[in-house]
Amino acid sequence: MSEFKLYNTLGRREEIFVPLKAPKVGMYVCGVTVYDYCHIGHARSALFFDMFYRFLKHLGYEVTYVRNFTDVDDKIIARANKEGRSYKEVSEQFIEEFYHDMDSLGILRPDVEPKATEHIEQMIELVSGLVAGGYAYVVEGDVYYDVTRFEEYGKLSGRTLEEMKAGARIEVGDEKRNPWDFALWKASKPGEPAWDSPWGPGRPGWHIECSAMSMAYLGSTLDIHGGGLDLVFPHHENEIAQSEAYTGQQFSRFWVHNGFVSVNNEKMSKSLGNFLLIRDMVKNYHPEVLRFFLLGSHYRTPIDFSQESLEEAHEAMNRLYRTLEARAEVKEKPEKPSSEGENLKALLEEKSRDFDQALLNDLNSALAMAKVFEGAREVNRYLKLSGDSLSQKSAALESWDGIVSKCQEIFGILNEDPATWFTAGAELPMPVEEIEALIEKRNQARKAKNWAEADAIRDQLKEKGILLEDKPGGKTVWRIA
């Protein structure tokens, strides 16, 4: 397999990725807390790890991808109480809504999708081991992790306990030994869901969930643990502390985090009215446009969303589909000896190698996408000017077809039929049957050389926002303006 360099948050540097038991790879990604609909920030994380999963499989690895659902939590309970429902009704509803949103974006489902409430037994076992080992202590039914017992606490985030002490304080009524200690188990309050435990009825803390679920499916040491940048501290830091204290082994060899999404240079917030739900965005833009937009930047860089940037992504996808359309319409021409095809073939092979290398260098999807567009420009020039025969063109374009195939496999784009891309999902001003009937009427007028009627039909459709394009061979295609 090719050498794959991946940025490891643990150490803050690029490292050559070598799985523990090649060719098998175990990857765990923190999922959502299911109490509301998914927004564009969720989409970015899910899409990046979808691309990562696809690329690992493209390289030939046997991947077990685990992504969890947190289905019991303060926010879930609060919504359930407000709406007079059980926490389970709320969580089940939003798990289904999650699937609706992710499926709409073409995101592959992970191999395993555990729910926190289905792994309470494993969590209790883990907490019990930490208490027995002196890493955790019990206070009136609550169990806290004592971070001072774990000497390497802060190694992921780069924080030290001394830095964390600055400004820290214990709230009134808080029985923690240290303000930075975190809950492993919470004693139940009236009206809350609860499970029996050695410390009384209660429910797990957030951090313990991921340790228990990841190790249940992937063992004591993971190859990759991922999530959004906001999870580095305290969530992932705490996962390391509790997991490594329990097993005595390294918890994850690689830690991978994607950057934030802002909206018009502001943090996304419901109070600002810029909270962008996935389900609203796919009403106006094809899912491939959203995939292209979110994968068009390096995964570790922040993305600023704006209407203009999404329109630019839409037009960029249109350019690629026009190239696919031109490629599909290649026709036989009289053969003329030419070196154009050989030159294009060599150039596209280079672009294909560059595409691969960009992804092998810390999943640089932005650079890989750039190579696709460079190749598309050369293909367009060649198809417009070349007099090569069909066989020559097919040979010259073989590498372009390979690049398109990799875009489909790894990025999940360019899967639509070019003939229908420009109308897919659009709100049409009239039924398709009427559009096609008018086009046929125009074609008949053109055959009869009734140019005035043909032009009038074209203008009639243009007023409705439908543009016609006459292709070689007499074919006419239509698009939404």
Side-chain angles (χ1 to χ4, degrees):
M1 292 183 183
S2 303
E3 188 174 273
F4 175 28
K5 292 181 180 179
L6 185 62
Y7 185 86
N8 192 348
T9 307
L10 185 66
R12 289 166 284 285
R13 63 179 182 272
E14 287 185 10
E15 301 175 15
I16 297 173
F17 176 71
V18 180
L20 197 61
K21 298 178 181 178
K24 297 182 183 298
V25 172
M27 180 168 75
Y28 182 92
V29 176
C30 289
V32 295
T33 300
V34 283
Y35 72 97
D36 208 342
Y37 299 104
C38 292
H39 53 67
I40 192 173
H42 296 128
R44 186 187 192 186
S45 184
L47 275 172
F48 163 64
F49 285 103
D50 179 62
M51 181 194 76
F52 193 179
Y53 178 41
R54 290 165 179 257
F55 184 60
L56 287 170
K57 294 200 294 184
H58 172 78
L59 292 178
Y61 289 112
E62 299 170 16
V63 188
T64 301
Y65 176 19
V66 183
R67 185 185 63 206
N68 74 295
F69 289 112
T70 294
D71 60 341
V72 61
D73 173 87
D74 290 341
K75 293 178 180 178
I76 297 172
I77 295 168
R79 182 161 193 155
N81 291 339
K82 181 180 179 181
E83 298 177 358
R85 298 196 285 165
S86 70
Y87 85 92
K88 192 169 184 63
E89 287 177 309
V90 171
S91 63
E92 289 298 327
Q93 174 196 345
F94 286 106
I95 285 173
E96 288 306 310
E97 300 294 0
F98 174 87
Y99 282 133
H100 173 274
D101 290 334
M102 297 302 149
D103 290 350
S104 74
L105 291 174
I107 292 172
L108 301 179
R109 296 197 181 187
D111 301 289
V112 188
E113 294 182 277
K115 298 175 184 175
T117 57
E118 295 173 351
H119 296 78
I120 300 294
E121 184 178 335
Q122 292 95 325
M123 296 177 205
I124 290 174
E125 181 180 342
L126 206 165
V127 175
S128 297
L130 291 171
V131 171
Y135 289 95
Y137 55 94
V138 183
V139 180
E140 298 179 358
D142 295 323
V143 184
Y144 295 101
Y145 186 95
D146 184 349
V147 299
T148 64
R149 292 296 316 279
F150 187 69
E151 293 182 0
E152 293 184 289
Y153 191 78
K155 66 180 178 179
L156 181 68
S157 62
R159 305 185 185 204
T160 66
L161 281 178
E162 290 302 317
E163 290 171 339
M164 284 182 266
K165 287 177 183 178
R169 61 189 180 90
I170 298 179
E171 301 292 340
V172 175
D174 196 338
E175 299 298 330
K176 292 191 293 185
R177 293 176 183 171
N178 307 294
W180 46 85
D181 292 349
F182 58 90
L184 299 170
W185 187 263
K186 299 178 180 180
S188 63
K189 298 176 183 176
E192 288 188 348
W195 289 262
D196 291 333
S197 78
W199 318 285
R203 57 188 174 91
W206 177 38
H207 310 300
I208 202 69
E209 294 176 7
C210 288
S211 290
M213 286 186 280
S214 62
M215 290 193 288
Y217 296 98
L218 300 175
S220 299
T221 301
L222 321 178
D223 289 306
I224 301 161
H225 195 317
L229 193 61
D230 56 317
L231 298 180
V232 173
F233 186 89
H235 186 50
H236 288 167
E237 193 73 73
N238 292 349
E239 279 191 64
I240 290 175
Q242 64 201 15
S243 302
E244 296 188 0
Y246 180 75
T247 66
Q249 301 175 42
Q250 183 178 14
F251 179 43
S252 182
R253 302 177 70 246
F254 280 81
W255 289 87
V256 181
H257 298 92
N258 63 273
F260 297 116
V261 178
S262 60
V263 178
N264 294 317
N265 295 307
E266 291 184 309
K267 183 178 180 180
M268 189 164 51
S269 166
K270 287 184 178 179
S271 62
L272 294 174
N274 63 357
F275 202 72
L276 302 173
L277 298 181
I278 294 171
R279 60 192 51 218
D280 292 334
M281 298 183 73
V282 296
K283 291 177 183 176
N284 299 312
Y285 292 93
H286 192 287
E288 286 196 9
V289 173
L290 297 175
R291 291 187 71 101
F292 173 82
F293 170 69
L294 291 170
L295 295 175
S297 299
H298 191 280
Y299 75 92
R300 288 193 284 115
T301 63
I303 291 180
D304 182 57
F305 171 88
S306 67
Q307 201 65 40
E308 292 76 14
S309 60
L310 203 55
E311 289 291 347
E312 289 171 2
H314 193 181
E315 181 51 39
M317 287 297 298
N318 285 345
R319 292 201 301 274
L320 289 181
Y321 269 101
R322 289 188 190 107
T323 303
L324 296 192
E325 192 175 50
R327 167 68 180 96
E329 293 173 351
V330 168
K331 298 289 191 298
E332 183 66 84
K333 287 186 178 181
E335 186 166 346
K336 297 179 181 178
S338 167
S339 61
E340 291 178 272
E342 287 297 321
N343 293 340
L344 179 68
K345 181 180 179 181
L347 189 149
L348 291 176
E349 286 174 350
E350 179 184 353
K351 299 302 177 188
S352 183
R353 289 191 296 271
D354 290 344
F355 177 100
D356 294 340
Q357 193 56 50
L359 293 178
L360 287 167
N361 187 16
D362 194 29
L363 297 163
N364 193 338
S365 56
L367 181 56
M369 292 276 197
K371 298 302 173 183
V372 176
F373 281 91
E374 289 173 10
R377 282 195 294 271
E378 296 299 327
V379 169
N380 290 333
R381 184 196 62 78
Y382 172 75
L383 292 178
K384 185 177 181 180
L385 302 175
S386 175
D388 284 353
S389 68
L390 182 61
S391 60
Q392 287 174 317
K393 286 179 178 175
S394 295
L397 294 168
E398 187 176 341
S399 290
W400 170 250
D401 295 339
I403 291 172
V404 172
S405 179
K406 285 189 287 192
C407 285
Q408 294 168 337
E409 179 189 0
I410 300 168
F411 293 152
I413 62 172
L414 305 183
N415 288 300
E416 295 287 349
D417 181 348
T420 60
W421 164 259
F422 295 96
T423 57
E427 187 174 335
L428 301 180
M430 63 176 70
V432 173
E433 295 79 10
E434 289 185 24
I435 297 171
E436 293 179 346
L438 284 170
I439 291 173
E440 177 58 28
K441 185 178 179 180
R442 177 175 175 269
N443 288 340
Q444 293 302 321
R446 294 175 73 202
K447 286 180 181 178
K449 297 186 178 180
N450 187 346
W451 308 118
E453 183 180 357
D455 289 346
I457 293 172
R458 175 191 284 272
D459 292 342
Q460 178 186 348
L461 289 170
K462 186 176 181 180
E463 287 177 5
K464 295 284 189 179
I466 297 169
L467 303 181
L468 302 185
E469 183 178 352
D470 297 318
K471 297 287 187 178
K475 181 181 178 182
T476 299
V477 298
W478 59 276
R479 296 172 179 160
I480 302 299

